[in-house]
Amino acid sequence: MSRRRREIMRMQIARAAVELFTAKGVTATTGDDIARELGISTRTLWRYFPSKESCVRPLLTSGLDLMADRLRSWPADLSLAEHLERSGALDEDGRTALGAPTVDLIRMTRTEPGLMAVWLTVHQTAEGVFAEAVAERAGAAPDTLSVRVQAAAINVALRVAAERFAAEEGHGASMTALVREALTTVGDGLGPLPRGTGTGEPGPRLRDAPDHHPG
């Protein structure tokens, strides 16, 4: 099978999986159900993906692949938010830009640990790709600390914006506004706080957090 045909099949499996997860729930959906929906054998399904949750991966990676392409063309004289604005990357609304099944999928990650694990793994992989693009722009090595931090910050900003849009679709800000705000925060968020923002009191420390034990 050619690479292109394989990619098409992977995306078809992903869409079928999300439709079934949405209709029946993740727990009630089996690999057999997904395979039957596509008219393929379950054995064939497992050649593409190791688990039913991982079947959704292509839907989650497509948008991040597009962002990686945008990072590779990011001019040195523009902020990332400005570059995305000028390149038209923020022109579409979230459901169009991400795709309706992807929005539904991201919303499900809030309550489905298996899907959340896939979502976080996809972003972990994307962070390395983002680092390579940022490094090329900066003329630095991808493992340089500043490059890795920038890539991680961009990665988290995009993830949180997508999660917020999926959670509040129809009741909150547009995807464009959320991405713009998230990326602006990345650029400005480590500067001095406005007067009156802080309380002056020390915040909680990790060592002070209560231990949680199963049961």
Side-chain angles (χ1 to χ4, degrees):
M1 182 178 291
S2 68
R3 178 177 178 180
R4 177 58 180 161
R5 287 181 61 194
R6 184 175 178 82
E7 290 175 352
I8 291 173
M9 176 56 76
R10 284 171 58 86
M11 186 60 75
Q12 290 175 340
I13 292 172
R15 292 182 182 279
V18 172
E19 288 179 5
L20 288 169
F21 291 164
T22 302
K24 300 175 58 175
V26 176
T27 302
T29 300
T30 66
D32 291 337
D33 293 331
I34 299 171
R36 190 180 306 114
E37 187 76 10
L38 293 163
I40 62 176
S41 69
T42 306
R43 178 179 295 183
T44 297
L45 177 72
W46 299 141
R47 290 195 187 116
Y48 287 94
F49 299 101
S51 67
K52 64 182 181 182
E53 290 87 355
S54 65
C55 288
V56 305
R57 185 181 175 92
L59 282 172
L60 298 176
T61 58
S62 57
L64 293 172
D65 287 339
L66 290 174
M67 179 54 64
D69 289 340
R70 300 289 184 179
L71 289 176
R72 295 185 186 101
S73 62
W74 180 11
D77 60 338
L78 294 178
S79 70
L80 181 54
E82 290 171 334
H83 169 52
L84 295 178
E85 292 273 10
R86 295 191 184 187
S87 64
L90 300 183
D91 288 348
E92 297 179 318
D93 65 72
R95 206 160 180 84
T96 301
L98 292 174
T102 305
V103 175
D104 295 336
L105 173 58
I106 294 172
R107 186 182 300 113
M108 281 190 284
T109 64
R110 302 177 65 199
T111 55
E112 295 290 347
L115 296 182
M116 175 57 81
V118 176
W119 177 231
L120 295 178
T121 299
V122 164
H123 271 277
Q124 184 179 34
T125 302
E127 187 173 308
V129 177
F130 289 176
E132 292 178 359
V134 171
E136 183 176 347
R137 177 177 184 265
D143 61 349
T144 302
L145 180 59
S146 60
V147 168
R148 297 296 306 196
V149 170
Q150 288 181 48
I154 293 169
N155 189 24
V156 171
L158 296 173
R159 178 175 63 78
V160 172
E163 291 173 350
R164 178 64 63 87
F165 176 78
E168 301 181 356
E169 185 187 8
H171 304 285
S174 68
M175 183 66 181
T176 295
L178 290 169
V179 170
R180 185 186 299 113
E181 180 181 354
L183 291 175
T184 300
T185 300
V186 167
D188 300 339
L190 298 181
L193 291 174
R195 283 185 176 274
T197 300
T199 64
E201 297 295 329
R205 296 167 294 180
L206 288 178
R207 68 184 184 189
D208 297 330
D211 292 327
H212 294 281
H213 299 286

